[in-house]
């Protein structure tokens, strides 16, 4: 395991670029989770078409040292899909060259931390005299647990908020029930009082009335 997974297979002498265009897309960086599979995109365009085109993917390519080939394919013509020449067992070709784009993307499987670095997609088209070009994408590998942790935190926050809201709702409903119960009880009580004391109503009113009358005079 480790960097030994991407064994250097060759040392290519790479010349100057001409009409051929190679691109890894708008962003030249890609992030992958430890142990996941990552797409390394690359397409090429050529004005005059191609024949027996060579494409190679390198890991951490430098002028002379650390030249590490991870995929090498050949394409006979626009009408055919690439033929595998050699590859790292963890690298899989996922592109297609018979469609609109000449897609020569690869997938790197079971990404390890030692896989972080520069991935160079290099194309050589014999039809365009010595035309060759390259594009590089930078891979960063992040620890799964960190994303999972962040995920868990977010989940916990969401669960907390939802749980809190449900709790509040239940509490509110309980309080409402209790309040309604109390109101009902007091109203029932009042009714009972009114009903049971209906006989005394007159005397009470009379008393209250007489009391009010009694209270009024001192001021006058
Ligand atoms: C990377 O992933 C593997 C498999 O999921 C795990 O065993 C290993 O501990 C991870 N490495 C780090 C540094 O998290
Ligand atoms: C190239 O092919 C891969 C795999 O099918 C796809 O995910 C990617 O989007 C393609 N890239 C372009 C630029 O078409
Ligand atoms: C690849 O290059 C990156 C910097 O571009 C470096 O951090 C990393 O250690 C290199 N990996 C290997 C296996 O040489
Ligand atoms: C990659 O392409 C650039 C031009 O875009 C060129 O200057 C450079 O020499 C090329 N490198 C390799 C290794 O082919």
């Amino acid at each position: 395991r480790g960097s030994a997974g991407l064994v250097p297979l060759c040392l290519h002498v790479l010349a100057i670029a001409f009409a051929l265009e190679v691109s890894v897309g708008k962003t030249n960086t890609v992030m992958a989770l430890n142990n996941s599979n990552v797409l390394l995109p690359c397409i090429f365009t050529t004005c005059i078409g191609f024949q027996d085109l060579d494409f190679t993917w390198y890991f951490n390519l430098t002028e002379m040292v650390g030249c590490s080939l991870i995929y090498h394919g050949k394409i006979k013509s626009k009408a055919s899909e690439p033929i595998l020449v050699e590859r790292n067992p963890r690298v899989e070709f996922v592109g297609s060259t018979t469609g609109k784009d000449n897609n020569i993307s690869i997938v790197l499987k079971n990404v390890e931390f030692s896989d972080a670095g520069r991935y160079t997609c290099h194309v050589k088209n014999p039809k365009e005299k010595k035309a060759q070009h390259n594009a590089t994408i930078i891979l960063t590998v992040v620890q799964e647990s960190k994303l999972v942790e962040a995920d868990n935190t977010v989940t916990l926050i969401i669960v907390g908020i939802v749980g809190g809201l449900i709790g509040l709702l239940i509490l509110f409903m309980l309080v409402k029930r209790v309040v309604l119960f109390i109101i009902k009880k007091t109203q029932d009580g009042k009714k009972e009082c009114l009903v049971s004391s209906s006989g005394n109503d007159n005397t009470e009113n009379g008393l209250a009335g007489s009391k009010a009358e009694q209270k009024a005079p001192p001021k006058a």
Side-chain angles (χ1 to χ4, degrees):
R1 306 278 281 185
S3 60
L6 299 167
V7 187
L9 293 169
C10 73
L11 192 75
H12 279 223
V13 180
L14 305 160
I16 316 142
F18 287 108
L20 196 67
E21 281 294 327
V22 179
S23 164
V24 291
K26 287 188 189 78
T27 55
N28 67 335
T29 54
V30 65
M31 197 181 275
L33 275 180
N34 169 32
N35 227 38
S36 71
N37 299 343
V38 66
L39 173 78
L40 300 172
C42 184
I43 57 163
F44 71 85
T45 52
T46 170
C47 307
I48 59 158
F50 61 86
Q51 205 143 35
D52 297 318
L53 180 138
D54 257 291
F55 70 93
T56 8
W57 275 93
Y58 300 97
F59 171 60
N60 271 9
L61 178 66
T62 51
E63 278 295 328
M64 293 303 275
V65 285
C67 167
S68 180
L69 187 149
I70 57 166
Y71 196 95
H72 181 195
K74 254 186 199 301
I75 317 162
K76 200 159 173 48
S77 69
K78 182 65 189 161
S80 58
E81 291 291 348
I83 301 156
L84 168 71
V85 179
E86 55 186 329
R87 68 169 182 136
N88 180 283
R90 277 170 54 223
V91 176
E92 207 165 86
F93 182 80
V94 293
S96 174
T97 51
T98 52
K100 192 169 145 281
D101 294 311
N102 295 306
N103 189 334
I104 50 169
S105 305
I106 54 167
V107 162
L108 179 61
K109 294 186 281 186
N110 305 318
V111 168
E112 297 163 10
F113 291 100
S114 55
D115 293 334
R118 288 166 297 110
Y119 288 82
T120 304
C121 167
H122 182 260
V123 177
K124 194 168 85 184
N125 183 14
K127 204 173 173 183
E128 290 176 68
K129 277 197 174 168
K130 285 184 177 170
Q132 51 180 297
H133 205 81
N134 68 82
T136 297
I137 192 157
I138 294 157
L139 173 70
T140 43
V141 182
V142 293
Q143 203 167 330
E144 186 161 19
S145 60
K146 272 186 187 156
L147 285 197
V148 169
E149 256 171 41
D151 230 45
N152 279 349
T153 314
V154 171
T155 309
L156 278 178
I157 289 167
I158 291 167
V159 165
I161 290 168
V162 171
L165 284 176
I166 291 171
L168 273 177
L169 201 69
I170 290 169
L171 192 71
F172 174 76
M173 282 163 83
L174 272 175
V175 167
K176 198 177 148 193
R177 263 178 178 247
V178 168
V179 167
L180 282 176
F181 181 77
I182 290 167
I183 288 169
K184 200 170 171 258
K185 268 278 160 184
T186 44
Q187 274 177 351
D188 281 357
K190 265 186 193 167
K191 265 183 205 162
E192 269 171 30
C193 276
L194 285 173
V195 172
S196 64
S197 63
S198 58
N200 306 341
D201 258 9
N202 287 336
T203 43
E204 259 183 29
N205 279 351
L207 275 170
S210 57
K211 265 181 195 169
E213 267 170 40
Q214 275 173 359
K215 265 188 185 176
K219 270 199 174 178

